[in-house]
Amino acid sequence: MAETMLIAKGICKYFPGVKALTGVDFELKAGEIHCLMGENGAGKSTLIKVLTGVETLDGGEIFLEKRHIQPRSPQHAQQLGISTVYQEVNLCPNLSVAENIFIGREPRKIGRIDWKEINRRATALLIKMNLDIDVTQPLERYSVAIQQMVAIARALDISAKVLILDEPTSSLDAKEVEHLFSVIRKLKEHGMGILFVTHFIEQVYAVSDRITILRNGSLVGVYKTAELPRVQLIAKMLGRTFEEFNAGIKTKTQIAEVNEQECVFLQVRGLGSRGAIAPFDLTVQKGEILGLVGLLGSGRTETARMIFGLDKSDSGEIRIEGKRLKILSPANAIKQGLAFCPENRKTEGIIDNLSVRENIILALQAKLGWRKYIARKRQEEIADKYIALLSIKTSGKEQLVKNLSGGNQQKVILARWLITQPKLLILDEPTRGIDVGTKAEIQKLILQLAEEGMSVIFISSELDESIRCCDRLAVLRDRVKIAELAGEEIEEKVVMQTIAGV
Amino acid sequence: MEIWIKLWRIVTNSRLFWPLAALAVVLLFNFFYTKDFFVVEIKDGHFYGVLIDIVNRAAPLMLLAIGMTLVVATKGIDISVGSVIAISGAVAASLIGGNLEYVDGTQKLVTLVPMPVAIVAALAVTTLLGMWNGLLVARVGIQPIVATLILLVAGRGIAQLITQGQIITIYYTPFKFIGAGYLAGVPFTLFIVLLVFAVILYLLNKTALGLFIEAIGINSVASRFSGIHVSKYIFLAYAFSGFCAGVAGLIICSNVSSADGNNAGLFMELDAILAVALGGNSLDGGKFSLLGSVIGALVIQSITTSIYATGVPPEITLVVKAIVVICICLMQSTSFRTIIFARWGQKRGSVSESTTVKL
């Protein structure tokens, strides 16, 4: 048996009105990949924050290699040997790759920063991870996947004994994930303890040795991955039986091919912008869920942004319910009954220092304008209604939205748009970084909304999700819309082949 | 005991606690060291006293702080307000004019344009200047400090241009009322501040303006995604700041009965920013408190007045002021207090330390 690297005993953490963790035990061995699983709000992020010194613990003890430690800050945790790579890349996009890796601990020569040495070591480090890129370029030039790798390289170079990966794969495509896994398997062989948090069940079974499951801030159990069937895993995470969970998602209804003009809500012709997306045509009918599929960077988000008036188009036209109009800003789009849940929840979605109530009413208030202020009482009614309707887990409507877990923040943004009663809802990766239970809830909600007559444009990196939810799929590749699939064609193999262009 | 601790926590957590505490400390100092500081007399039907004087002199700064608070809340800054003050005074003074003429054998002052017109013109010009700042920041996308730096530098030149390099003296007595008049025994300036404060407070609380400005300051991208006209509100904040500086400029100009393009409002932008910070507002934008900034302005004026009152040699007043300001800032800083209280807690034993940790 490998020796124990990290032990956490009886960890407790309280937030105002919330018990985030109560008496959680956790153990990580050297040379092991250990998965931490649980729904949103189960306490995964909190546990990681406690281990890495972002939050101080309210109870319990942490031992690293049998020594009692009390991480005071992420820097301190790093010195102790616990490095973390977060879900959202925490680097400086305007600095070079090499600078990002060595920031704060630059090698020096006669008191001055030795740039040659920095670049040489950065290149060597990345080549070890099979990544051959120009390290002098600013980080923002590279894809999120590469940025993630750089973050890991940085964590590794700081003499890590324990590496914590907090949902590193949520924005990577399959090939990049495989690449990442090969890297962490290598690290495991070198005796490092790796704590891996993800929502992708496939990935759990692909790499991990053991699984620790949390639910509502308490420990459910620790299991060997090989001995825990998937159904069991999901059931344990949700605290219900798998049958119950599976019955939640209804099978897709095939809507009849109706092409009558009055059924079309949105019609786009030749809309495009040089450098962002080639001119494309698109129609969305009332009550239809149109999926945009394609690889990362294929132009899905760009398409949505342009329709919503976030980016300028240099050609083409948009018709809504037959009327030709120009959408020059999100405010314009909202007036026409459009709504857009952006992909980056933190930077484009929530206003983190405002309360749940204020976040929920924001879009409706923007639509009404500043003069027609929604009365406080009405705001509270709306907030209460939607907190209940979407079962948003919060200690109250006045809680700051930054204190909510990722999935609940996503629900707040959904609520923000639903109260504007949109006719077309654009969802960009609405289920990214969200646990299975909430994912199913959101999918169910989308299907229900479509049934009530709302049109939906649905963007997801998870193919099975798109296949399950959408009536029609528009396929994009390299910023060009290449095909539309409907009916029988919406099937994994066909879609994959279309994306791949076989 | 428990209740008192809880109550103490509620009080200290309130946004206005530390600004008010700072004001109380400064006033308390004066209670012991300055003679007759709290004495308010009635002379000629007006209230007189150091306190009245502080409020009166703080009026321009309070106005600047109100405007600055909104700009800062949008994650911006307006360092041009000092120059705008000079322009405001220059416009008003040159329009009112100062010609003494003999009409029907008696000496009479003739104004170039009626006083209300001059006032409206000065406010219109300063609001336009604020709009210029807003345009540069919100539309052109220049960083606020750089955008307003342009007017900070150019503004004094413009003011000199208007006054043709002269210090214009205003002999027209009704104009003096703005900065030095009394209404119901109370300085008229106080009514001006109250009016501006009340109107803007009403707008912020009874319309969605407050919510929008906070949202923009916290996350302008997400605000835009939610359909808020981000650039419009940023533009309005700078325009309003220009307007406030215009009013402050009129008060200052009227108080000294002259327009000095070089020295009117000199370095006042720094005091205004300081007032916002002392008021417990984050210069990083987002949530804000107008009342806090007003209190901050009062703290600054109280310090200045008490330095004069205690007889600190004039050449070192700025140093003394800086020291006091540093102390107040440290007192308001959460992290500094945590360090101090943690030390204090350790001395008292581990029991109290564990309770502070849980807070």
Side-chain angles (χ1 to χ4, degrees), chain A residues 474-498:
Chain A
V475 185
L476 293 111
R477 189 200 309 139
D478 298 334
R479 298 173 188 271
V480 180
K481 184 185 164 203
I482 49 169
E484 256 182 46
L485 304 173
E488 294 289 299
E489 297 164 317
I490 301 185
E491 190 247 328
E492 192 165 304
K493 213 170 131 195
V494 181
V495 178
M496 296 245 254
Q497 280 170 346
T498 317

PDB file of all heavy atoms in Angstrom, chain A residues 474-498:
ATOM      1  N   ALA A 474     -27.485  22.632 -36.054  1.00  0.00           N
ATOM      2  CA  ALA A 474     -26.660  23.303 -37.050  1.00  0.00           C
ATOM      3  C   ALA A 474     -25.214  22.966 -36.713  1.00  0.00           C
ATOM      4  O   ALA A 474     -24.794  23.109 -35.575  1.00  0.00           O
ATOM      5  CB  ALA A 474     -26.880  24.803 -37.009  1.00  0.00           C
ATOM      6  N   VAL A 475     -24.502  22.478 -37.704  1.00  0.00           N
ATOM      7  CA  VAL A 475     -23.133  22.030 -37.455  1.00  0.00           C
ATOM      8  C   VAL A 475     -22.152  23.077 -37.961  1.00  0.00           C
ATOM      9  O   VAL A 475     -22.280  23.578 -39.081  1.00  0.00           O
ATOM     10  CB  VAL A 475     -22.855  20.681 -38.139  1.00  0.00           C
ATOM     11  CG1 VAL A 475     -21.466  20.176 -37.768  1.00  0.00           C
ATOM     12  CG2 VAL A 475     -23.910  19.675 -37.751  1.00  0.00           C
ATOM     13  N   LEU A 476     -21.184  23.418 -37.126  1.00  0.00           N
ATOM     14  CA  LEU A 476     -20.186  24.403 -37.518  1.00  0.00           C
ATOM     15  C   LEU A 476     -18.797  23.777 -37.506  1.00  0.00           C
ATOM     16  O   LEU A 476     -18.515  22.896 -36.694  1.00  0.00           O
ATOM     17  CB  LEU A 476     -20.200  25.598 -36.556  1.00  0.00           C
ATOM     18  CG  LEU A 476     -21.460  26.456 -36.605  1.00  0.00           C
ATOM     19  CD1 LEU A 476     -22.246  26.312 -35.340  1.00  0.00           C
ATOM     20  CD2 LEU A 476     -21.091  27.902 -36.848  1.00  0.00           C
ATOM     21  N   ARG A 477     -17.988  24.240 -38.428  1.00  0.00           N
ATOM     22  CA  ARG A 477     -16.593  23.814 -38.414  1.00  0.00           C
ATOM     23  C   ARG A 477     -15.752  24.986 -38.884  1.00  0.00           C
ATOM     24  O   ARG A 477     -16.072  25.621 -39.888  1.00  0.00           O
ATOM     25  CB  ARG A 477     -16.384  22.628 -39.347  1.00  0.00           C
ATOM     26  CG  ARG A 477     -15.001  22.019 -39.192  1.00  0.00           C
ATOM     27  CD  ARG A 477     -14.577  21.202 -40.379  1.00  0.00           C
ATOM     28  NE  ARG A 477     -15.568  20.219 -40.765  1.00  0.00           N
ATOM     29  CZ  ARG A 477     -15.874  19.959 -42.042  1.00  0.00           C
ATOM     30  NH1 ARG A 477     -15.279  20.612 -43.015  1.00  0.00           N
ATOM     31  NH2 ARG A 477     -16.778  19.066 -42.326  1.00  0.00           N
ATOM     32  N   ASP A 478     -14.716  25.295 -38.155  1.00  0.00           N
ATOM     33  CA  ASP A 478     -13.792  26.378 -38.507  1.00  0.00           C
ATOM     34  C   ASP A 478     -14.523  27.656 -38.888  1.00  0.00           C
ATOM     35  O   ASP A 478     -14.249  28.265 -39.921  1.00  0.00           O
ATOM     36  CB  ASP A 478     -12.864  25.954 -39.642  1.00  0.00           C
ATOM     37  CG  ASP A 478     -12.002  24.784 -39.232  1.00  0.00           C
ATOM     38  OD1 ASP A 478     -11.774  24.652 -38.015  1.00  0.00           O
ATOM     39  OD2 ASP A 478     -11.581  24.012 -40.097  1.00  0.00           O
ATOM     40  N   ARG A 479     -15.438  28.059 -38.070  1.00  0.00           N
ATOM     41  CA  ARG A 479     -16.164  29.323 -38.245  1.00  0.00           C
ATOM     42  C   ARG A 479     -17.019  29.385 -39.504  1.00  0.00           C
ATOM     43  O   ARG A 479     -17.257  30.456 -40.070  1.00  0.00           O
ATOM     44  CB  ARG A 479     -15.184  30.505 -38.201  1.00  0.00           C
ATOM     45  CG  ARG A 479     -14.495  30.556 -36.856  1.00  0.00           C
ATOM     46  CD  ARG A 479     -13.426  31.569 -36.792  1.00  0.00           C
ATOM     47  NE  ARG A 479     -12.710  31.407 -35.521  1.00  0.00           N
ATOM     48  CZ  ARG A 479     -13.046  32.001 -34.392  1.00  0.00           C
ATOM     49  NH1 ARG A 479     -14.072  32.818 -34.362  1.00  0.00           N
ATOM     50  NH2 ARG A 479     -12.382  31.807 -33.286  1.00  0.00           N
ATOM     51  N   VAL A 480     -17.444  28.223 -39.967  1.00  0.00           N
ATOM     52  CA  VAL A 480     -18.363  28.171 -41.101  1.00  0.00           C
ATOM     53  C   VAL A 480     -19.495  27.215 -40.726  1.00  0.00           C
ATOM     54  O   VAL A 480     -19.251  26.165 -40.136  1.00  0.00           O
ATOM     55  CB  VAL A 480     -17.657  27.626 -42.369  1.00  0.00           C
ATOM     56  CG1 VAL A 480     -18.624  27.587 -43.530  1.00  0.00           C
ATOM     57  CG2 VAL A 480     -16.434  28.460 -42.696  1.00  0.00           C
ATOM     58  N   LYS A 481     -20.719  27.613 -41.043  1.00  0.00           N
ATOM     59  CA  LYS A 481     -21.825  26.685 -40.819  1.00  0.00           C
ATOM     60  C   LYS A 481     -21.835  25.711 -41.988  1.00  0.00           C
ATOM     61  O   LYS A 481     -21.956  26.120 -43.148  1.00  0.00           O
ATOM     62  CB  LYS A 481     -23.143  27.452 -40.760  1.00  0.00           C
ATOM     63  CG  LYS A 481     -24.312  26.562 -40.444  1.00  0.00           C
ATOM     64  CD  LYS A 481     -25.623  27.324 -40.517  1.00  0.00           C
ATOM     65  CE  LYS A 481     -26.753  26.322 -40.597  1.00  0.00           C
ATOM     66  NZ  LYS A 481     -27.946  26.900 -41.183  1.00  0.00           N
ATOM     67  N   ILE A 482     -21.666  24.430 -41.702  1.00  0.00           N
ATOM     68  CA  ILE A 482     -21.506  23.496 -42.806  1.00  0.00           C
ATOM     69  C   ILE A 482     -22.717  22.619 -43.056  1.00  0.00           C
ATOM     70  O   ILE A 482     -22.882  22.101 -44.163  1.00  0.00           O
ATOM     71  CB  ILE A 482     -20.270  22.584 -42.607  1.00  0.00           C
ATOM     72  CG1 ILE A 482     -20.290  21.982 -41.208  1.00  0.00           C
ATOM     73  CG2 ILE A 482     -18.987  23.354 -42.870  1.00  0.00           C
ATOM     74  CD1 ILE A 482     -19.282  20.882 -41.029  1.00  0.00           C
ATOM     75  N   ALA A 483     -23.583  22.451 -42.091  1.00  0.00           N
ATOM     76  CA  ALA A 483     -24.720  21.567 -42.347  1.00  0.00           C
ATOM     77  C   ALA A 483     -25.821  21.779 -41.318  1.00  0.00           C
ATOM     78  O   ALA A 483     -25.607  22.398 -40.274  1.00  0.00           O
ATOM     79  CB  ALA A 483     -24.269  20.113 -42.292  1.00  0.00           C
ATOM     80  N   GLU A 484     -26.988  21.278 -41.664  1.00  0.00           N
ATOM     81  CA  GLU A 484     -28.085  21.233 -40.706  1.00  0.00           C
ATOM     82  C   GLU A 484     -28.605  19.828 -40.639  1.00  0.00           C
ATOM     83  O   GLU A 484     -28.787  19.182 -41.679  1.00  0.00           O
ATOM     84  CB  GLU A 484     -29.195  22.201 -41.123  1.00  0.00           C
ATOM     85  CG  GLU A 484     -29.203  23.455 -40.285  1.00  0.00           C
ATOM     86  CD  GLU A 484     -30.323  24.396 -40.649  1.00  0.00           C
ATOM     87  OE1 GLU A 484     -31.464  23.906 -40.804  1.00  0.00           O
ATOM     88  OE2 GLU A 484     -30.062  25.595 -40.782  1.00  0.00           O
ATOM     89  N   LEU A 485     -28.835  19.337 -39.473  1.00  0.00           N
ATOM     90  CA  LEU A 485     -29.330  17.975 -39.317  1.00  0.00           C
ATOM     91  C   LEU A 485     -30.675  18.017 -38.614  1.00  0.00           C
ATOM     92  O   LEU A 485     -30.888  18.830 -37.722  1.00  0.00           O
ATOM     93  CB  LEU A 485     -28.356  17.147 -38.478  1.00  0.00           C
ATOM     94  CG  LEU A 485     -26.909  17.077 -38.973  1.00  0.00           C
ATOM     95  CD1 LEU A 485     -26.047  16.376 -37.943  1.00  0.00           C
ATOM     96  CD2 LEU A 485     -26.834  16.371 -40.302  1.00  0.00           C
ATOM     97  N   ALA A 486     -31.576  17.134 -39.052  1.00  0.00           N
ATOM     98  CA  ALA A 486     -32.876  17.088 -38.384  1.00  0.00           C
ATOM     99  C   ALA A 486     -33.376  15.657 -38.370  1.00  0.00           C
ATOM    100  O   ALA A 486     -32.887  14.802 -39.113  1.00  0.00           O
ATOM    101  CB  ALA A 486     -33.872  17.990 -39.112  1.00  0.00           C
ATOM    102  N   GLY A 487     -34.335  15.397 -37.533  1.00  0.00           N
ATOM    103  CA  GLY A 487     -35.018  14.106 -37.483  1.00  0.00           C
ATOM    104  C   GLY A 487     -34.060  12.949 -37.255  1.00  0.00           C
ATOM    105  O   GLY A 487     -33.292  12.936 -36.294  1.00  0.00           O
ATOM    106  N   GLU A 488     -34.106  11.982 -38.190  1.00  0.00           N
ATOM    107  CA  GLU A 488     -33.325  10.755 -38.064  1.00  0.00           C
ATOM    108  C   GLU A 488     -31.819  11.007 -38.011  1.00  0.00           C
ATOM    109  O   GLU A 488     -31.063  10.241 -37.454  1.00  0.00           O
ATOM    110  CB  GLU A 488     -33.636   9.835 -39.270  1.00  0.00           C
ATOM    111  CG  GLU A 488     -35.053   9.326 -39.301  1.00  0.00           C
ATOM    112  CD  GLU A 488     -35.306   8.302 -38.202  1.00  0.00           C
ATOM    113  OE1 GLU A 488     -34.645   7.258 -38.202  1.00  0.00           O
ATOM    114  OE2 GLU A 488     -36.157   8.578 -37.334  1.00  0.00           O
ATOM    115  N   GLU A 489     -31.432  12.124 -38.635  1.00  0.00           N
ATOM    116  CA  GLU A 489     -29.985  12.386 -38.721  1.00  0.00           C
ATOM    117  C   GLU A 489     -29.371  12.740 -37.382  1.00  0.00           C
ATOM    118  O   GLU A 489     -28.155  12.718 -37.212  1.00  0.00           O
ATOM    119  CB  GLU A 489     -29.720  13.545 -39.698  1.00  0.00           C
ATOM    120  CG  GLU A 489     -30.142  13.239 -41.113  1.00  0.00           C
ATOM    121  CD  GLU A 489     -30.216  14.509 -41.938  1.00  0.00           C
ATOM    122  OE1 GLU A 489     -30.730  15.532 -41.435  1.00  0.00           O
ATOM    123  OE2 GLU A 489     -29.758  14.484 -43.078  1.00  0.00           O
ATOM    124  N   ILE A 490     -30.240  13.161 -36.425  1.00  0.00           N
ATOM    125  CA  ILE A 490     -29.685  13.539 -35.131  1.00  0.00           C
ATOM    126  C   ILE A 490     -29.337  12.274 -34.371  1.00  0.00           C
ATOM    127  O   ILE A 490     -30.132  11.720 -33.615  1.00  0.00           O
ATOM    128  CB  ILE A 490     -30.675  14.421 -34.342  1.00  0.00           C
ATOM    129  CG1 ILE A 490     -30.976  15.670 -35.162  1.00  0.00           C
ATOM    130  CG2 ILE A 490     -30.093  14.807 -32.999  1.00  0.00           C
ATOM    131  CD1 ILE A 490     -31.838  16.667 -34.457  1.00  0.00           C
ATOM    132  N   GLU A 491     -28.155  11.833 -34.629  1.00  0.00           N
ATOM    133  CA  GLU A 491     -27.697  10.582 -34.037  1.00  0.00           C
ATOM    134  C   GLU A 491     -26.195  10.722 -33.926  1.00  0.00           C
ATOM    135  O   GLU A 491     -25.542  11.313 -34.793  1.00  0.00           O
ATOM    136  CB  GLU A 491     -28.099   9.428 -34.964  1.00  0.00           C
ATOM    137  CG  GLU A 491     -27.912   8.070 -34.393  1.00  0.00           C
ATOM    138  CD  GLU A 491     -26.827   7.316 -35.128  1.00  0.00           C
ATOM    139  OE1 GLU A 491     -26.653   7.521 -36.340  1.00  0.00           O
ATOM    140  OE2 GLU A 491     -26.119   6.562 -34.452  1.00  0.00           O
ATOM    141  N   GLU A 492     -25.655  10.228 -32.836  1.00  0.00           N
ATOM    142  CA  GLU A 492     -24.266  10.530 -32.500  1.00  0.00           C
ATOM    143  C   GLU A 492     -23.301  10.323 -33.664  1.00  0.00           C
ATOM    144  O   GLU A 492     -22.490  11.189 -33.982  1.00  0.00           O
ATOM    145  CB  GLU A 492     -23.839   9.685 -31.302  1.00  0.00           C
ATOM    146  CG  GLU A 492     -22.522  10.170 -30.744  1.00  0.00           C
ATOM    147  CD  GLU A 492     -22.250   9.615 -29.363  1.00  0.00           C
ATOM    148  OE1 GLU A 492     -23.098   9.806 -28.484  1.00  0.00           O
ATOM    149  OE2 GLU A 492     -21.200   8.994 -29.173  1.00  0.00           O
ATOM    150  N   LYS A 493     -23.436   9.171 -34.325  1.00  0.00           N
ATOM    151  CA  LYS A 493     -22.476   8.830 -35.374  1.00  0.00           C
ATOM    152  C   LYS A 493     -22.547   9.837 -36.515  1.00  0.00           C
ATOM    153  O   LYS A 493     -21.522  10.341 -36.995  1.00  0.00           O
ATOM    154  CB  LYS A 493     -22.783   7.423 -35.890  1.00  0.00           C
ATOM    155  CG  LYS A 493     -21.530   6.681 -36.323  1.00  0.00           C
ATOM    156  CD  LYS A 493     -21.844   5.232 -36.589  1.00  0.00           C
ATOM    157  CE  LYS A 493     -21.270   4.847 -37.928  1.00  0.00           C
ATOM    158  NZ  LYS A 493     -21.832   3.582 -38.422  1.00  0.00           N
ATOM    159  N   VAL A 494     -23.766  10.148 -36.950  1.00  0.00           N
ATOM    160  CA  VAL A 494     -23.952  11.078 -38.063  1.00  0.00           C
ATOM    161  C   VAL A 494     -23.383  12.450 -37.711  1.00  0.00           C
ATOM    162  O   VAL A 494     -22.668  13.070 -38.501  1.00  0.00           O
ATOM    163  CB  VAL A 494     -25.453  11.212 -38.415  1.00  0.00           C
ATOM    164  CG1 VAL A 494     -25.645  12.160 -39.592  1.00  0.00           C
ATOM    165  CG2 VAL A 494     -26.051   9.856 -38.699  1.00  0.00           C
ATOM    166  N   VAL A 495     -23.718  12.905 -36.495  1.00  0.00           N
ATOM    167  CA  VAL A 495     -23.272  14.229 -36.078  1.00  0.00           C
ATOM    168  C   VAL A 495     -21.751  14.298 -36.049  1.00  0.00           C
ATOM    169  O   VAL A 495     -21.134  15.229 -36.574  1.00  0.00           O
ATOM    170  CB  VAL A 495     -23.844  14.593 -34.679  1.00  0.00           C
ATOM    171  CG1 VAL A 495     -23.344  15.955 -34.236  1.00  0.00           C
ATOM    172  CG2 VAL A 495     -25.362  14.577 -34.718  1.00  0.00           C
ATOM    173  N   MET A 496     -21.147  13.262 -35.475  1.00  0.00           N
ATOM    174  CA  MET A 496     -19.685  13.239 -35.387  1.00  0.00           C
ATOM    175  C   MET A 496     -19.063  13.259 -36.764  1.00  0.00           C
ATOM    176  O   MET A 496     -18.071  13.966 -37.008  1.00  0.00           O
ATOM    177  CB  MET A 496     -19.233  11.983 -34.641  1.00  0.00           C
ATOM    178  CG  MET A 496     -19.699  11.980 -33.223  1.00  0.00           C
ATOM    179  SD  MET A 496     -18.363  12.059 -32.071  1.00  0.00           S
ATOM    180  CE  MET A 496     -18.363  10.399 -31.475  1.00  0.00           C
ATOM    181  N   GLN A 497     -19.640  12.484 -37.652  1.00  0.00           N
ATOM    182  CA  GLN A 497     -19.094  12.434 -39.007  1.00  0.00           C
ATOM    183  C   GLN A 497     -19.222  13.785 -39.693  1.00  0.00           C
ATOM    184  O   GLN A 497     -18.320  14.229 -40.394  1.00  0.00           O
ATOM    185  CB  GLN A 497     -19.804  11.356 -39.839  1.00  0.00           C
ATOM    186  CG  GLN A 497     -19.267   9.977 -39.539  1.00  0.00           C
ATOM    187  CD  GLN A 497     -20.111   8.883 -40.160  1.00  0.00           C
ATOM    188  OE1 GLN A 497     -21.239   9.128 -40.600  1.00  0.00           O
ATOM    189  NE2 GLN A 497     -19.570   7.678 -40.214  1.00  0.00           N
ATOM    190  N   THR A 498     -20.352  14.455 -39.444  1.00  0.00           N
ATOM    191  CA  THR A 498     -20.549  15.774 -40.058  1.00  0.00           C
ATOM    192  C   THR A 498     -19.529  16.766 -39.517  1.00  0.00           C
ATOM    193  O   THR A 498     -18.933  17.539 -40.268  1.00  0.00           O
ATOM    194  CB  THR A 498     -21.969  16.292 -39.774  1.00  0.00           C
ATOM    195  OG1 THR A 498     -22.887  15.221 -39.951  1.00  0.00           O
ATOM    196  CG2 THR A 498     -22.318  17.435 -40.699  1.00  0.00           C
TER     197      THR A 498
END
